[in-house]
Amino acid sequence: MSTKTEHQAHQGPEPLDVHDPRLSRFDIVREGARRDDIEIVHYEEQVVPGSKAERRLTRTVASMFLLTGLAATAFLVVYIWWPWEYEPGTGGDKYYTPLLGLTLGVALLGVGFGILTWGKKLLPKEVSIQDRHENDPNVAESRKITGETMLYLADEMGVKRRPLLGISLLAGLAPVGAVAAAPLVGGLISNPHKNNQMFTTGFAPADGRKIRLVREDGRPIRPADISAGGQLTVFPGIEHGVSNKHADSPTLLIHLRESDAQVSREANQRVGHGNYMWGNYAAFSKICTHAGCPASLYEQQTNRLLCPCHQSQFLITDNARPVFGPASRRLPQLPIEVDDEGFFVARSDYTETVGPDFWERP
């Protein structure tokens, strides 16, 4: 499209009466373009209406849209009914995320190729030249021209004489719309908090029994096992407590120095966690609240816990508040105490959600 300045614009023909019933829709569209100093110098159909080529292209585009509909429907079926909860072994839950990605990818590719083929092969070719111009003050005629232009564009799409395209487009895009809405209304179909699985870790008391903190080999931990300034990764002392079945449970048990412990207790008091520490010991989730990486690099001089994935840092003596990096929520603290045998136990489960917070962000 080329552009001319106003003083270079040539004098065009006399304006047509756009309300003249003898004018075709394309005549009105061409007149509207001319009033905007746009001259349509070339316009041609790419395929002959009713020809074998048009029917073949129509079937191709319709197939792409129908493929989109089938793939989007498959996405919904997988999203709603496919087993997704983790189970040890090689069960169907391992295919949940790959199937969601595959079906959604095929759906988007189908609609993309369908629209590209429609635009590149079925829509007419047009070449126009535009001059710079002043706005037309005639509102009534501009409104008439705009309306006819929009109707003409609908005619250009060829849906009326190619009904298969319209039907396939509707059949393809309706499931895509449902795909977009599925995560929003999914809670109305199946409760995402069923059995409270998103808020429960391996430290939840079982049958009224408080869960011990254990090493990776299952041995319980006494306070004397960690020197001042030291830390140890602990797990719930239950069956499969150190396996991926309880991947949300790894916890960092830290023995703070006396002065640091006092600061930490004061910080706990401010947020209503006055009984979460036992002596100079505090326990925080190792699951980074940014992307779920293991935040386990503890720097005892500054009392900062570093996540190596994206460099988020948490200040342990201030309720593990994020002080650097992309994390926006503090690490949840596990309430702890020592049982009658002198081993660490969890007073209760975590009282805040563990891990990345994007799924519950208001």
Side-chain angles (χ1 to χ4, degrees):
M1 182 178 290
S2 62
T3 305
K4 302 177 183 178
T5 58
E6 289 182 352
H7 70 274
Q8 292 175 322
H10 62 275
Q11 185 67 34
E14 289 294 324
L16 298 178
D17 180 8
V18 296
H19 298 286
D20 187 344
R22 294 172 298 176
L23 297 179
S24 67
R25 181 166 289 158
F26 182 71
D27 290 333
I28 297 176
V29 172
R30 186 188 291 273
E31 174 61 19
R34 185 178 294 117
R35 293 187 184 187
D36 286 335
D37 292 336
I38 301 174
E39 189 66 31
I40 301 176
V41 297
H42 178 76
Y43 186 91
E44 66 172 342
E45 296 280 354
Q46 295 199 72
V47 291
V48 178
S51 65
K52 289 184 178 180
E54 183 189 44
R55 290 194 293 271
R56 184 178 65 253
L57 287 170
T58 299
R59 289 193 297 270
T60 300
V61 174
S63 299
M64 292 293 101
F65 291 152
L66 291 176
L67 176 63
T68 294
L70 290 174
T73 301
F75 176 95
L76 293 172
V77 171
V78 172
Y79 182 83
I80 297 172
W81 287 291
W82 195 274
W84 61 270
E85 293 179 304
Y86 174 82
E87 295 181 359
T90 57
D93 57 297
K94 308 303 185 297
Y95 300 100
Y96 180 72
T97 299
L99 284 175
L100 289 181
L102 177 63
T103 53
L104 182 59
V106 171
L108 296 179
L109 284 174
V111 71
F113 280 116
I115 291 174
L116 284 174
T117 304
W118 193 345
K120 293 287 187 180
K121 301 296 184 181
L122 284 174
L123 294 184
K125 290 183 177 180
E126 177 183 311
V127 178
S128 302
I129 300 174
Q130 181 179 11
D131 295 335
R132 296 177 183 173
H133 61 280
E134 298 286 342
N135 291 330
D136 187 353
N138 194 326
V139 177
E141 291 196 347
S142 295
R143 190 174 298 159
K144 171 70 174 178
I145 291 170
T146 300
E148 293 296 323
T149 300
M150 295 178 67
L151 292 173
Y152 183 74
L153 289 175
D155 290 343
E156 253 189 343
M157 298 293 289
V159 176
K160 286 186 178 180
R161 57 189 175 88
R162 304 169 187 144
L164 179 60
L165 287 180
I167 295 172
S168 62
L169 182 62
L170 179 62
L173 293 187
V176 172
V179 165
L184 302 177
V185 300
L188 302 178
I189 300 172
S190 178
N191 183 6
H193 299 155
K194 182 176 61 177
N195 301 327
N196 208 29
Q197 71 268 23
M198 302 301 284
F199 296 94
T200 304
T201 72
F203 288 106
D207 301 324
R209 178 177 60 88
K210 295 178 180 180
I211 305 301
R212 281 181 173 176
L213 281 57
V214 301
R215 296 176 174 85
E216 191 172 3
D217 59 7
R219 289 181 298 150
I221 302 166
R222 298 179 185 273
D225 294 338
I226 307 176
S227 59
Q231 50 83 22
L232 183 68
T233 298
V234 298
F235 305 87
I238 58 176
E239 186 178 6
H240 304 299
V242 298
S243 71
N244 284 337
K245 184 176 182 180
H246 295 282
D248 57 356
S249 301
T251 299
L252 199 66
L253 178 61
I254 304 173
H255 185 179
L256 295 168
R257 293 183 176 86
E258 181 62 41
S259 58
D260 296 329
Q262 181 59 35
V263 174
S264 185
R265 279 190 289 270
E266 292 173 357
N268 277 8
Q269 291 287 349
R270 290 195 296 269
V271 296
H273 292 177
N275 61 347
Y276 278 40
M277 293 178 61
W278 183 87
N280 294 343
Y281 295 82
F284 294 91
S285 170
K286 283 186 64 172
I287 311 301
C288 181
T289 55
H290 170 237
C293 297
S296 57
L297 301 179
Y298 178 60
E299 210 293 304
Q300 60 177 259
Q301 300 300 322
T302 61
N303 288 304
R304 290 191 179 194
L305 189 62
L306 171 68
C307 176
C309 291
H310 305 99
Q311 310 307 308
S312 292
Q313 295 183 24
F314 304 88
L315 184 58
I316 294 301
T317 53
D318 191 9
N319 300 294
R321 176 177 58 87
V323 292
F324 183 82
S328 60
R329 185 169 66 93
R330 67 190 181 190
L331 295 173
Q333 185 173 3
L334 181 69
I336 58 174
E337 63 182 12
V338 171
D339 63 15
D340 295 339
E341 297 182 41
F343 295 108
F344 277 114
V345 295
R347 293 173 59 92
S348 70
D349 198 358
Y350 283 98
T351 56
E352 298 174 310
T353 54
V354 170
D357 60 346
F358 53 83
W359 56 271
E360 278 289 341
R361 179 170 292 172

